[in-house]
């Protein structure tokens, strides 16, 4: 199936304006396939992985379906991790930028529950949450399910891997009989098929293949480098690739400051971003222990509010991120408009710190 223009999807003008503002030119394959089916009200199984645009594929139909005048909870998205819940909420908020009266709230464990209860009471229609915390609110009756008409299971295979099956079942059993269930999963193991059989009715399968990623051609490298040589190697890479913008992740603020000073001393334009500044305001985009360093057009990074397009250009993980396996790699990606690369400097045998 061809990729569609967003204008062909019969979306409201506010969403069309938002996708334009977000820089999406045409709908991705999963969006072209899933949006019409989800908007028709059918149960849907979406087989798609991160990077395909799956969030907007279910986020747009959710926003189309939510009645802004009704201040009751109307839809829930379940996600495996707090990071994903925050990211999904952010993407949907961006999509809802020009809509009035829609409140989207991420709900996850580890965050003060009283604050969440206050936000829930103030008229949230869409909750993006992790299963444990959503169940907690259901039990406390601080999340009322009577008006919930849609539930999305995002990264369902991950949720099952993390042991959320019972929680998911309890939540699905707790919402009104008449509802639409949308399930997204990168893989379709038996356990997922069981969930779809048990909780979906005549579900339609939409899937995309790997080559249909919106962020294609990521190349990843790592270099085994002695700690004392890391700065030198980074400098050489900057000279070889001359990226417009790079983001370097370090483990500590001190490491960022050391590296900034080192690079400035070598004549590069570099700025440290951490602590009470940029990194904290955009904490959800960064691994919790990371600090950030911009090289090149720093002003551009700030001007875009730290948005994804800038961050994706050239990422370097200067130190190992032992607690964040998905950040333990680096990216080098080439797309039509720009070059994106990723490198990681580490010596497996050595300690993560410099
Ligand atoms: P996801 O698969 O939802 O995690 O999306 C991956 C990235 O693609 C996110 O940064 C989205 O904002 C972006 N994205 C989603 N839809 C589109 C689109 N139609 N065109 C370009 N980028 C998109």
């Amino acid at each position: 199936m061809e990729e569609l223009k967003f204008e062909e999807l019969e979306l409201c003008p506010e969403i069309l304006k938002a996708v334009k503002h977000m820089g999406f030119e045409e709908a991705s394959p999963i969006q072209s396939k899933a949006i019409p089916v989800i908007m028709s009200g059918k149960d849907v199984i979406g087989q798609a992985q991160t990077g395909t645009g799956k969030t907007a594929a279910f986020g747009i139909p959710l926003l189309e379906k939510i009645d802004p005048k009704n201040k009751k909870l109307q839809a829930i998205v379940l996600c495996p991790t707090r990071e994903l819940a925050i990211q999904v909420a952010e993407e949907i908020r961006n999509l809802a930028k020009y809509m009035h009266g829609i409140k989207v709230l991420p709900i996850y464990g580890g965050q003060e529950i009283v604050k969440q209860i206050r936000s829930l009471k103030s008229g949230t229609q869409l909750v993006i949450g992790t299963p444990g915390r959503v169940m907690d609110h259901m039990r406390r009756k601080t999340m009322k399910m009577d008006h919930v008409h849609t539930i999305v299971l995002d990264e369902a295979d991950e949720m099952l891997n993390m042991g959320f099956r019972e929680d998911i079942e309890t939540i699905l059993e707790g919402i009104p009989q008449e509802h639409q269930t949308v399930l997204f999963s990168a893989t379709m193991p038996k356990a997922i098929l069981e969930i779809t059989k048990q909780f979906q009715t005549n579900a339609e399968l939409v899937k995309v293949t790997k080559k249909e990623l919106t962020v294609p051609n990521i190349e990843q490298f790592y270099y085994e480098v002695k700690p004392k040589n890391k700065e030198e190697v980074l400098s050489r890479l900057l000279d070889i690739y001359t990226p417009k913008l790079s983001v370097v992740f370090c483990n500590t603020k001190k490491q960022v400051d050391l590296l900034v000073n080192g690079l400035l001393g070598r004549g590069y334009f570099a700025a440290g971003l951490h602590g009470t500044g940029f990194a904290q305001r955009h904490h959800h985009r960064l691994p919790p222990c990371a600090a950030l360093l911009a090289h090149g057009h720093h002003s551009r990074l700030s001007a875009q509010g730290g948005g994804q397009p800038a961050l994706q250009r050239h990422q370097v993980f200067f130190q190992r991120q032992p607690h964040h396996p998905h950040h333990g790699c680096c990216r080098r990606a080439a797309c039509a408009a720009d070059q994106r690369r990723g490198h990681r400097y580490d010596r497996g045998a050595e300690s993560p710190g410099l």
Side-chain angles (χ1 to χ4, degrees):
M1 180 180 169
E2 305 252 318
E3 286 171 42
L4 297 176
K5 298 233 171 311
F6 282 104
E7 287 76 12
E8 294 172 272
L9 289 168
E10 294 175 27
L11 307 178
C12 67
E14 291 81 5
I15 291 184
L16 286 177
K17 194 170 165 191
V19 292
K20 211 169 207 174
H21 183 84
M22 289 163 85
F24 300 174
E25 279 164 18
E26 48 186 27
S28 70
I30 192 68
Q31 291 161 358
S32 304
K33 289 176 196 168
I35 290 175
V37 192
I38 302 177
M39 276 176 41
S40 77
K42 277 188 184 167
D43 282 358
V44 172
I45 305 169
Q47 187 166 6
Q49 57 191 132
T50 300
T52 53
K54 68 180 169 66
T55 313
F58 62 76
I60 290 173
L62 279 179
L63 291 174
E64 289 279 348
K65 201 169 168 188
I66 287 169
D67 173 6
K69 289 193 208 96
N70 178 356
K71 299 299 171 195
K72 301 270 172 22
L73 179 65
Q74 298 173 47
I76 300 173
V77 179
L78 293 179
C79 298
T81 63
R82 120 197 193 139
E83 284 77 16
L84 186 63
I86 292 169
Q87 250 176 46
V88 169
E90 168 116 348
E91 176 109 342
I92 296 183
R93 276 182 183 154
N94 286 336
L95 290 166
K97 187 178 163 82
Y98 300 104
M99 301 176 101
H100 296 290
I102 293 193
K103 269 187 99 171
V104 181
L105 182 70
I107 291 268
Y108 45 83
Q111 197 195 34
E112 222 186 300
I113 199 151
V114 179
K115 205 172 139 204
Q116 290 177 352
I117 293 172
R118 215 178 302 132
S119 302
L120 282 166
K121 275 193 183 148
S122 70
T124 294
Q125 294 112 331
L126 173 57
V127 157
I128 321 289
T130 48
R133 187 51 73 97
V134 167
M135 223 175 60
D136 198 354
H137 281 289
M138 274 174 78
R139 288 216 182 99
R140 290 167 186 254
K141 305 221 182 312
T142 42
M143 260 176 80
K144 304 230 169 58
M145 301 297 186
D146 342 2
H147 290 78
V148 172
H149 51 58
T150 313
I151 184 149
V152 178
L153 309 181
D154 189 18
E155 301 200 357
D157 48 356
E158 281 301 313
M159 288 200 281
L160 294 190
N161 288 342
M162 291 171 75
F164 284 132
R165 185 178 176 140
E166 274 180 34
D167 292 3
I168 292 172
E169 287 179 356
T170 311
I171 295 164
L172 288 170
E173 280 157 9
I175 56 179
Q177 197 101 41
E178 271 296 301
H179 68 265
Q180 181 183 16
T181 308
V182 175
L183 177 147
F184 271 83
S185 189
T187 58
M188 288 292 152
K190 206 167 140 243
I192 293 284
L193 298 175
E194 279 167 19
I195 294 253
T196 66
K197 243 192 220 150
Q198 199 179 342
F199 292 102
Q200 292 189 299
T201 316
N202 298 327
E204 187 156 327
L205 175 70
V206 287
K207 63 197 259 186
V208 291
T209 52
K210 261 197 178 150
K211 63 177 169 37
E212 294 174 321
L213 294 176
T214 55
V215 189
N217 303 331
I218 293 175
E219 284 183 61
Q220 307 189 5
F221 299 91
Y222 76 93
Y223 299 95
E224 282 199 39
V225 179
K226 287 205 168 97
K228 68 176 166 53
N229 294 336
K230 282 188 188 177
E231 193 179 300
E232 174 65 27
V233 174
L234 176 62
S235 307
R236 295 250 185 108
L237 287 170
L238 292 174
D239 293 343
I240 294 167
Y241 293 113
T242 59
K244 276 189 187 152
L245 176 79
S246 297
V247 180
V248 180
F249 292 89
C250 302
N251 280 351
T252 63
K253 288 186 199 175
K254 194 174 160 212
Q255 180 53 39
V256 169
D257 293 339
L258 280 174
L259 188 56
V260 170
N261 286 335
L263 289 174
L264 288 173
R266 287 167 182 263
Y268 297 98
F269 175 48
L273 298 162
H274 58 55
T276 50
F278 180 94
Q280 201 170 55
R281 288 202 310 275
H282 296 262
H283 64 285
H284 50 281
R285 292 200 181 275
L286 304 173
C289 62
L292 195 132
L293 167 81
H295 163 85
H297 300 298
H298 173 210
S299 56
R300 193 157 161 205
L301 178 69
S302 306
Q304 293 190 356
Q308 293 277 30
L311 283 177
Q312 283 171 353
R313 285 208 183 150
H314 191 127
Q315 297 181 350
V316 179
F317 295 80
F318 205 66
Q319 287 170 313
R320 218 164 350 150
Q321 303 285 336
H323 306 302
H324 300 276
H326 59 292
H327 289 114
C329 60
C330 306
R331 294 148 191 199
R332 170 201 164 102
C335 63
D338 63 1
Q339 285 277 317
R340 304 170 188 185
R341 304 190 174 96
H343 304 279
R344 174 177 165 189
Y345 309 83
D346 248 324
R347 274 205 64 153
E350 284 165 358
S351 78
L354 269 186

